[in-house]
Amino acid sequence: MNRPKTQHVTLLAGAAVAVVFIVADLRATSHPAATLSGNGKPVVATSSASAPTPSAAGGGTTIITLSASPSAPASAATGATATDAAAAQVYDYSGHVKGGGASVAVSIYAGKAIAYVCGGKFEAWLTGTASNGTLSLTGKYGASLTGTYIQTAAWGSVSGAGHQWTFNVPVVHSPSGLYRAYAKNHQVQATWIVTPDGSQIGSVDNGGDPATANPVGALDLSTLTSTLPDGTAVTAAPLDASTGE
């Protein structure tokens, strides 16, 4: 009579153990594995594209959200990319070349760049591109300019009129910058560079040919007028990459 009871007890105990394993398996399937955070709170990992959810102050479970497709780390912002982001804006730079003896002006607009180097008795006009922080310009008689630009400055090397210079010049605003005037139906062209320290230098040539450059008198910045060496009065206008060359 005792044997049947023993068999029933054994069967019931086995069923109970099976239920425990089934419940444990269901819990493991329905809930991600938890670990402990540094403060001893349980940390549950979930899979989501959303940002991590901070834990509530004072207790509870800390949720760490794992991105299904993590993005690459954001790179440090540079002046070059910032400049390219504002590509539709004009950026003008001007100043003296290193070592003196000449000044340089550079203007950038929408991927286009112009530059002018002047020492009074010599000059060089250059045109080219401005892209991803890099300047690449060329001009007559083998003139060239290569450099780098950001929103606040431009620097590099430039050659022309038998000279070669390096430069590092700041971004400028009116009245600093580049100015040009014409006379005799554009047969005569006068150009001035005004630098941030207020100094200016200019040349006059025949139709924009730097081989014919000669010094020109100062430009009156209040009226933008000047007098050419032959006595011709001219009125200049600001020049930048959105309007010139």
Side-chain angles (χ1 to χ4, degrees):
M1 296 296 291
N2 291 335
R3 183 174 299 176
K5 290 182 179 179
T6 302
Q7 290 177 345
H8 287 304
V9 170
T10 302
L11 290 173
L12 289 173
V17 171
V19 169
V20 169
F21 279 109
I22 291 171
V23 171
D25 184 65
L26 289 173
R27 288 181 176 178
T29 303
S30 60
H31 298 285
T35 59
L36 293 179
S37 65
N39 57 14
K41 298 176 183 178
V43 178
V44 180
T46 65
S47 178
S48 171
S50 61
T53 304
S55 62
T61 300
T62 301
I63 306 298
I64 298 177
T65 304
L66 304 179
S67 175
S69 55
S71 58
S75 59
T78 65
T81 56
T83 300
D84 293 337
Q89 182 174 341
V90 173
Y91 287 90
D92 294 323
Y93 311 84
S94 73
H96 306 293
V97 299
K98 290 186 177 180
S103 294
V104 59
V106 179
S107 182
I108 296 171
Y109 176 74
K112 174 185 174 181
I114 65 171
Y116 179 66
V117 183
C118 182
K121 293 183 179 181
F122 58 85
E123 64 179 358
W125 278 102
L126 306 103
T127 61
T129 60
S131 177
N132 297 319
T134 299
L135 294 167
S136 179
L137 296 84
T138 58
K140 288 183 178 180
Y141 310 115
S144 66
L145 183 152
T146 58
T148 304
Y149 67 94
I150 57 177
Q151 285 186 333
T152 56
W155 61 93
S157 62
V158 58
S159 62
H163 302 270
Q164 184 169 3
W165 309 269
T166 59
F167 64 93
N168 189 334
V169 294
V171 69
V172 295
H173 303 283
S174 180
S176 298
L178 192 58
Y179 296 84
R180 184 165 62 187
Y182 292 104
K184 299 180 180 180
N185 295 322
H186 286 216
Q187 294 179 23
V188 174
Q189 174 178 293
T191 311
W192 295 263
I193 297 174
V194 180
T195 56
D197 62 7
S199 63
Q200 56 177 280
I201 191 167
S203 288
V204 60
D205 58 51
N206 296 329
D209 184 355
T212 63
N214 283 293
V216 67
L219 179 67
D220 185 334
L221 295 177
S222 63
T223 61
L224 296 185
T225 58
S226 184
T227 301
L228 302 184
D230 65 1
T232 303
V234 293
T235 301
L239 177 66
D240 60 50
S242 70
T243 58
E245 301 305 314

